[in-house]
Every structure is written in structure tokens, then in C-alpha cells.
Amino acid sequence: MPKVKTIFQCQACGYISPKWLGRCPDCGAWNSLVEEKREIVGRQSSLISCKSKSEPQPLSEVKRQSEQRMSTEMKELDRVLGGGVVHGSVVLIGGDPGIGKSTLLLQAMAGLCKKYGKVLYVSGEESSEQIKIRADRLSVNSEEIILLSETSVEGIINTASKIIPKVMVIDSVQTVYTEGLVSAPGSVSQVREAAAKLMFFAKKSDIPVFLVGHVTKEGAIAGPRVLEHIVDTVLYFEGNGGHSYRILRTVKNRFGSANEIGIFEMSDSGLLEVDNPSELFLLERPLNVSGSVVVASLEGTRPLMVEIQSLVSQTNFGMPRRTSIGVDFNRVNLLVAVLEKRVGLHLGGMDIFVNVVGGLRIIEPAVDLGIIIAISSSLKDTPVDPKIFVFGEVGLSGEIRAVTQAEARIKEASKIGFKKAVMSAGNSENIKNDFGLEITGVQNVEDCLEAVFS
Ligand code: TYD
Ligand code: MG
């Protein structure tokens, strides 16, 4: 008889305690410890008798197989994956409920099965009829897509070994369970164990597996970071309530760049790829209004023109409010301090709001210059020439620093009709091709404001 032990495991970080605690001592989450049962099978003895299956080998003798990738026929998804689906890889797609994870994967499967043959779609959440309704909406109808309603990992692997699909989808990893554990599906130990088994299966059979993962209120994939360590690639599917755009963002990728994004639009008949996101994000840009400027930002390998807006208004009472949406709040505070100290703008008694249009989130420092100009433009109530775009990092002493891939940014801007670029002198000096644009290099914030507002 295997011994069953009761443990309490934190559902946020996986910490194990022999007794219940109100707060996890490891990650600090409140009320996150849940009782789980764990069978103790003679692990140690099996460890001793275990023989290593692979022989040690010098690096120079390792044969490299040419990395084979399968195309999903969705250019955006392929790019985010690093150029297609890698054989034997495990990809985790996280996102809020209803954001379109199942839709994305069903469309990807439809693309894959056309070229490569059978795919297996395992759903623990929806019945086959529900998937059929979605497939009809997406005009997907193929006998190569095999549906399976199953929640036991052993059952899934068993079926997959018989069918031998080209790709497999598990929707979602929180609904599957492994028979070896007694705890409930969705608990940390189940999710981890199930994912590990699927990972093992993927590596052994060379079948790529897509796992759908739910996201907790805090935005992490539920059941939890341990899952992100196990898989090869982690993608987040994000969207903004009121917008129909969806952004697929790489968080981790063993087979490609880790800060790539793909942009989709949710329509009546599924997800459409957005080929030209810069145009989309600048579509409703107000011209000749103060507080708005366009930044040439870079998301992974792709340049993206985005509008930064700011509103500066007199504080009515008490503490001035500072709000930022889409850019780092502390970064905005820092840039406000630079404007006060280095340029002498009076922002102390002002409420300052900064927003990135289109529900985008930009993390790279090249957006600094845009924030500074948007704030100054709103404070002075002077519009920025709509043909100008900017990019550059701002340092604490007010200097403007060079950023990477200046030419790629300029090229993108010239494609959609911008005429003037303001950037750091460091960048402007090294530009070989200006794509017919007027380029101004600036040393510090004061020069920059002069170049934009003169
Ligand atoms: P779904 O893929 O079920 O989301 P998830 O698996 O991430 O929970 O997407 C559901 C949402 O997408 C739902 O609100 C309806 C919407 N939708 C469309 O707008 N158009 C479509 O063609 C489809 C299939 C769904
Ligand atoms: Mg779903």
C-alpha cells in the first residue's frame, strides 16, 4: 500500500508546508495554502536502481539536426514562436478567460493540418459540440482535426500514442489530472505533474504540444511559475477590454527571441492577423492637438509606431496625481523630475496623465523621449508637428542616449509617411540610410524640446 501524506501547498509558488499557514512564507501570498494529498511511492529505491539511459558525449561530437519547424499559416503566430512550431516543443499559452486562446489554437491547428496531416485537439473544458460551433464560426472543417474530450493525462497520452498526431493541443492544463496523484485537478501539484508528463511525452515522441493555461487575478499563469520553468516557450495572449486587438507576447522562448509580439484583431469570423500594426495604432490620431506625439518603438524585432498622449492639468486639491497607462509609472515620475530639474518646467502642482494609445504596453527605454515631449506639449499647450516622430532614452542628467536599431525604426516611419525624426545625436551620426527623412540629432532634453517646438 502506498503511504498517503497530507501536505499544504501554496497555489501561487508551490511552497510545501506540513501544516496550514495563513500566509506563504516563501512568496508572501495570503490564504494560498491548500490541503493536498500525496502518495509516497518508493521513490528512493527506484532512484538507486535507475540506470542512466544516455551516454556522456563531447560537445564536438553532438550531431545537430537541422531545426525543423512547421508553419501554422499564421505569420504572426509563427514569428512569435521564432519561425514556426519546433518538433517536440511544449508551448504554454496563457491569457484571461475569453481572450481567444481556444480560437487562436483552433485556427493554428486548421493551418497545420492542411500541410502536415492529423492534429489532436484535447479539450477538458468544452464538449466536442461546443468546439464544433466555434469551428463553424471560423469556417474550419477538416477530418484531420481529431477532437478528444479527456482529462486524464494517461488517457491523453495513450490516445496520442495511437493516433500519432503531428501536433497536439491541451485546452487547458488546469483541467487535466494525472492518476498518480490524489489532489484535485488545477492544484499546483497536479498541474506541474501533468505538464511534466506531457513534456516527457513531447520530447520522446517529437510531437509538439500546446498547453492552454489560465491566468490568475494577478496576471500570472495559475498553478504557477513552476509551469513556466518546465515548458520551452511561454506566450501570453493579452487584450484590452474595449479593444478588439489581441497581442500575443513571448515571455520565454528556447527557440527564438523572447520579446517578440504578434498582433491580431478579433472579428466575427475569428482572429485576423494585423500586417500593418503601425497604421492601425495611428488610425484615429488627433492632429494638431497638444499632448500627443508618435514614438518609433521596437517590439522584439518589429518596429512599431505608437502614439503617446499626455494630459497635464492644475491640481485642484492636495497631492498632484500621476497616472500612467502602458508605460512604467516610475519611469514617468523619473522623467517628470528630469523635466523639472534640467529644463525648469513647473510640474510640481500639476496632475500628469500619460497613456499609450491602443492598449499597448511599452517597456523599452526608447519611449522616454516620447513621454517627455508629450508632457511638455501638454504643459505648453503647443501641438507637435504630426509629421515628426521621436525615439531615444533619457538619462538622469537630461542627456539623450542612443537606442538600438535606429534604421529599422526610421524605415517603418518613412513607410507610413513621417517626414522628420528626432533622436539622440549618437544615433543620428551612425545612420547610413535616412530613407528621405529629415533627421535631427539632439544631445539633451533642452535641445530636444527646441528641435520639436521651434
Ligand atoms: P475563446 O477562444 O473561447 O477564449 P478563451 O479560450 O481564451 O477563453 O474566445 C472567446 C471569445 O472570442 C468570445 O468572447 C467570443 C469571441 N469570438 C469572436 O468574437 N469571434 C469569433 O469568431 C470567435 C470564435 C470568438
Ligand atoms: Mg477556451
Side-chain angles (χ1 to χ4, degrees), residues 120-197:
L120 180 63
Y121 192 105
V122 184
S123 180
E125 290 189 344
E126 291 164 310
S127 65
S128 302
E129 290 77 40
Q130 280 173 306
I131 300 173
K132 178 72 182 162
I133 294 169
R134 178 179 301 117
D136 283 346
R137 227 174 141 181
L138 305 173
S139 322
V140 170
N141 191 8
S142 169
E143 52 189 42
E144 305 275 27
I145 302 180
I146 318 279
L147 301 181
L148 175 69
S149 286
E150 170 72 90
T151 50
S152 146
V153 176
E154 285 76 15
I156 294 169
I157 292 179
N158 205 349
T159 312
S161 321
K162 280 188 209 130
I163 300 179
I164 317 187
K166 289 287 181 261
V167 183
M168 186 158 95
V169 172
I170 312 288
D171 190 0
S172 68
V173 68
Q174 273 91 10
T175 55
V176 296
Y177 69 97
T178 158
E179 281 153 20
L181 287 180
V182 249
S183 46
S187 62
V188 184
S189 35
Q190 277 290 4
V191 167
R192 182 164 48 189
E193 203 62 30
K197 285 207 165 131

Side-chain angles (χ1 to χ4, degrees), residues 21 32 62 68 71 93 137-139 157 218 244 248 263 321 384:
L21 299 168
S32 64
V62 176
Q68 287 178 328
S71 163
I93 299 192
R137 227 174 141 181
L138 305 173
S139 322
I157 292 179
E218 290 78 31
S244 58
L248 188 63
I263 301 173
R321 284 186 62 182
V384 178

Side-chain angles (χ1 to χ4, degrees), residues 30-84:
W30 286 97
N31 209 8
S32 64
L33 267 70
V34 169
E35 181 177 348
E36 288 186 14
K37 296 225 166 26
R38 182 167 281 189
E39 271 178 33
I40 307 167
V41 198
R43 270 261 171 93
Q44 272 141 340
S45 59
S46 68
L47 207 66
I48 294 161
S49 64
C50 162
K51 282 206 188 72
S52 172
K53 289 189 197 82
S54 64
E55 292 294 319
Q57 184 178 23
L59 178 62
S60 56
E61 279 172 28
V62 176
K63 287 201 189 64
R64 185 176 166 209
Q65 292 165 334
S66 67
E67 201 178 65
Q68 287 178 328
R69 291 184 187 255
M70 291 189 275
S71 163
T72 59
E73 295 203 341
M74 297 175 91
K75 271 203 313 267
E76 296 290 296
L77 178 58
D78 282 352
R79 216 204 23 257
V80 169
L81 289 171

Side-chain angles (χ1 to χ4, degrees), residues 96-103 134 137-138 266-270:
D96 292 330
I99 201 81
K101 301 179 293 295
S102 307
T103 309
R134 178 179 301 117
R137 227 174 141 181
L138 305 173
M266 184 60 101
S267 75
D268 283 346
S269 52

Side-chain angles (χ1 to χ4, degrees), residues 6 9 17 24 62 80 82 108 111 132 147 179 243 249 274 284 305 313 356 380 407 411-412 421 429 449:
T6 302
Q9 188 161 30
S17 159
C24 171
V62 176
V80 169
K132 178 72 182 162
L147 301 181
E179 281 153 20
H243 295 112
R249 196 183 284 278
V274 178
E284 289 162 87
M305 307 297 289
S313 68
V356 180
K380 296 174 198 232
E407 269 180 47
K411 187 174 169 199
E412 176 79 6
E429 282 158 15
L449 296 184

